[in-house]
Amino acid sequence: MLELEEITKVYARGFLRRQKTVAVNNVSLSIKRGKTLGLVGESGSGKSTLGRIALRLIEATSGTVRFDGIDLTGLSRYELRKLRPRMQILFQDPDTSLDPRMTIRECVAEPLIISNRAGPDEMEERILDLLGRVGLHPDLIDRYPFEISGGQKQRVALARVLSLNPEFIVADEPTAALDLSVQAQVLSLIKSIQKKSNLTILFISHDLQVVEQMSDTIAVMHHGSIVEQGSPHDILHTPMESYTRTLVSAAYESDAWLGKITDPRALLP
Ligand code: ADP
Ligand code: MG
């Protein structure tokens, strides 16, 4: 479904653009239809850059992106625009993807109107259907983003993404801004939607535990390169690379000694 071949991205900044950052260094990855590839790595490792390149929201310095067999690198603006509804991005922070002056109804309607996917007579039904798919109560339809919770806002952002019936989405740290319990709900919602609509997902997170829950395959990114790739089980139980081992122990050992202590007062003498 999605193939990245030898992708490299160099950012050039500063005087005469002489300061170069190699954000992504010769990365090849592929995702089968209906599957989730989890991309994990610390902040600054190049995950978001790679995710945006996969959608051709930014251009790679070199390398090839193929979506459903179509080479995105060579497409004209017009051809790319026709493909856009089929591939979407879900961002970390719904506050940047939702316009605070628009009601939930308007937020969800906007992509449908722009892409001509629903006429005025069927609009209400489509919006309510989308709210239902993301588990939002229809009573919220006339609220503004500031009147609902962070988890509800991320559900609205997801409804917008789903309104175009995408086949592939990049989810870039989609729950990093949410409380843990809300995070778990949104993650399982994404999973159940994926099952129903056979979505292909590139799931980006700095959190190995989250990636483990969500992914069929995990790719570990470090300083712009993929240092290891495998099933969640292999990555967690027999990590080959020392960097992956560091990630695994950071994610799990700290939990182990904090134990399942739910009341922080239990830590006091
Ligand atoms: P991650 O998502 O893993 O945190 P990013 O892809 O955002 O990593 O960033 C990778 C590297 O590229 C970082 O060193 C970052 O500072 C740099 N970078 C990201 N975006 C830009 C940009 N627009 N211009 C210059 N450097 C950038
Ligand atoms: Mg990022």
Side-chain angles (χ1 to χ4, degrees), residues 235-268:
I235 294 281
L236 289 168
H237 297 278
T238 47
M240 306 300 284
E241 294 296 323
S242 67
Y243 178 69
T244 310
R245 285 198 288 273
T246 318
L247 269 189
V248 173
S249 55
Y252 290 90
E253 277 169 19
S254 58
D255 272 13
W257 78 262
L258 276 173
K260 302 298 165 212
I261 299 170
T262 45
D263 183 351
R265 282 168 304 182
L267 290 172
L268 297 175

Side-chain angles (χ1 to χ4, degrees), residues 153-169:
K153 278 190 271 193
Q154 195 57 302
R155 286 172 195 261
V156 175
L158 187 58
R160 274 172 66 93
V161 164
L162 294 175
S163 68
L164 300 173
N165 286 321
E167 294 156 61
F168 170 57
I169 66 172

Side-chain angles (χ1 to χ4, degrees), residues 46 58 77 114 121 183 195:
I58 56 176
R77 243 167 214 261
I114 291 176
D121 43 330
Q183 172 173 318
K195 271 211 194 105

Side-chain angles (χ1 to χ4, degrees), residues 42-56:
E42 66 202 334
S43 172
S45 55
K47 306 181 298 296
S48 294
T49 300
L50 190 62
R52 281 163 178 72
I53 288 171
L55 298 173
R56 219 184 137 195

Side-chain angles (χ1 to χ4, degrees), residues 68-99:
D68 200 15
I70 306 163
D71 182 351
L72 295 189
T73 349
L75 290 189
S76 67
R77 243 167 214 261
Y78 171 73
E79 292 168 315
L80 196 58
R81 201 163 44 191
K82 275 201 306 191
L83 271 185
R84 277 276 166 243
R86 299 175 61 190
M87 37 187 218
Q88 294 286 311
I89 186 162
L90 180 64
F91 291 107
Q92 169 176 346
D93 184 2
D95 289 328
T96 53
S97 50
L98 302 181
D99 186 331

Side-chain angles (χ1 to χ4, degrees), residues 118-126:
D121 43 330
E122 47 180 346
M123 189 59 81
E124 185 79 3
E125 195 186 325
R126 289 291 295 278

